[in-house]
């Protein structure tokens, strides 16, 4: 432990986000234990993913963004609203542009064009959501190097632990829907763990650029929240109900929300 404490805060941030990435991969690995391609189960898992994403949007992103803004004497609703709407606007633009990308190159095992589109949007949005989480960890450890009065090693570690544990269901939230669309277990796992790969890079950037990033972090968090809600509303909920399992998808969405809410509140 002493050797870890002696490391530069930037390196500490990098190592802790390697842990959060590992937890994402651990969650994505659940796809290997799924039995076949039971459509009812997979639709339920897709709805569960939607609940996880909705809860993460508020408890992990919007709520901290509002708190950070208010601590900086800025009305909390300003970065929350601006970032949230910009995040949705970006995903609307991505949604328009996705058809010009060669999705067949990446999702060859998925035959349905609409499913490929939904898959691309899901992977993009969850990956985008993980960038501000990595930044948040980087800023927490970077504050130690900047010797800010509010910074503490314990607080930074607690933040990394909380994000890491909540990344477990997020890994599932990517890999299981991909498997639902017909992708192989290995590819579903690879895309699921890839969504968390951005966190170490974002943490290093956040730790190095805390003076620049800190005022912008509430906007970044809200931006990711808006992107995720757009995907849930446009793709996840309709997709989970397209085979007629409306009640099941509603229940699974609520369970996913509850699980993520407990993790975020208990570990926040």
């Amino acid at each position: 432990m002493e050797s870890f404490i002696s490391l530069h805060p930037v390196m500490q941030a990098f190592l802790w986000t390697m842990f959060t990435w590992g937890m994402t991969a651990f969650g994505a690995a659940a796809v290997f234990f799924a039995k076949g391609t039971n459509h009812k189960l997979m639709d339920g898992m897709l709805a569960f993913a939607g609940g996880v994403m909705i809860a993460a949007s508020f408890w992990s992103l919007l709520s901290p963004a509002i708190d950070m803004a208010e601590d900086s004497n800025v009305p909390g609703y300003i970065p929350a609203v601006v970032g949230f709407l910009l995040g949705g606007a970006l995903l609307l633009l991505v949604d328009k542009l996705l058809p010009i990308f060669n999705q067949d190159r990446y999702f060859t095992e998925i035959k349905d064009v609409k499913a490929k589109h939904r898959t691309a949007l899901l992977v993009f949005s969850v990956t985008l959501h993980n960038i501000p989480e990595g930044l948040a960890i980087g800023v927490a450890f970077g504050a130690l190097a900047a010797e800010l009065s509010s910074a503490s090693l314990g607080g930074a570690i607690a933040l990394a632990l909380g994000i890491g544990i909540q990344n477990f269901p997020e890994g599932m939230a990517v890999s299981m829907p991909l498997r639902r669309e017909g992708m192989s277990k290995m590819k579903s796992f690879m895309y699921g763990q890839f969504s968390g790969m951005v966190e170490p890079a974002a943490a290093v950037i956040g730790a190095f650029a805390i003076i620049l990033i800190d005022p912008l972090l509430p906007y970044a968090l809200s931006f990711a929240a808006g992107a995720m809600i757009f995907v849930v509303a446009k793709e996840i909920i309709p997709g989970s109900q397209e085979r007629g399992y409306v009640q099941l998808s509603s229940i699974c969405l609520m369970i996913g929300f509850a699980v993520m809410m407990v993790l975020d509140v208990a570990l926040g």
Side-chain angles (χ1 to χ4, degrees), residues 36-99:
T37 54
N38 184 311
H39 293 303
K40 189 173 183 179
L41 172 63
M42 293 303 172
D43 283 0
M45 290 304 301
L46 182 63
F48 179 89
V52 168
M53 293 169 72
I54 293 172
S57 295
F58 178 75
W59 300 106
S60 297
L61 299 171
L62 283 174
S63 181
I66 293 170
D67 291 341
M68 289 178 190
E70 290 176 345
D71 289 343
S72 302
N73 296 320
V74 175
Y77 61 85
I78 292 180
V81 171
V82 172
F84 185 83
L85 294 180
L86 285 177
L90 174 68
L91 263 290
L92 179 61
L93 177 62
V94 170
D95 188 46
K96 298 293 185 182
L97 294 178
L98 276 177

Side-chain angles (χ1 to χ4, degrees), residues 53-70 76 78-88 125 128-139 159 163 166 199 202 213-229:
M53 293 169 72
I54 293 172
S57 295
F58 178 75
W59 300 106
S60 297
L61 299 171
L62 283 174
S63 181
I66 293 170
D67 291 341
M68 289 178 190
E70 290 176 345
I78 292 180
V81 171
V82 172
F84 185 83
L85 294 180
L86 285 177
S125 67
L128 181 67
H129 153 262
N130 282 330
I131 292 176
E133 287 192 351
L135 285 173
I137 295 174
V139 167
L159 174 65
I163 289 176
Q166 75 173 34
E199 289 191 1
I213 296 297
D214 198 32
L216 298 178
L217 192 56
Y219 294 91
L221 293 170
S222 302
F223 182 90
M228 291 186 71
I229 292 297

Side-chain angles (χ1 to χ4, degrees), residues 8 90 100 115 207 232 264:
H8 191 277
L90 174 68
I100 72 173
V232 172
D264 277 336

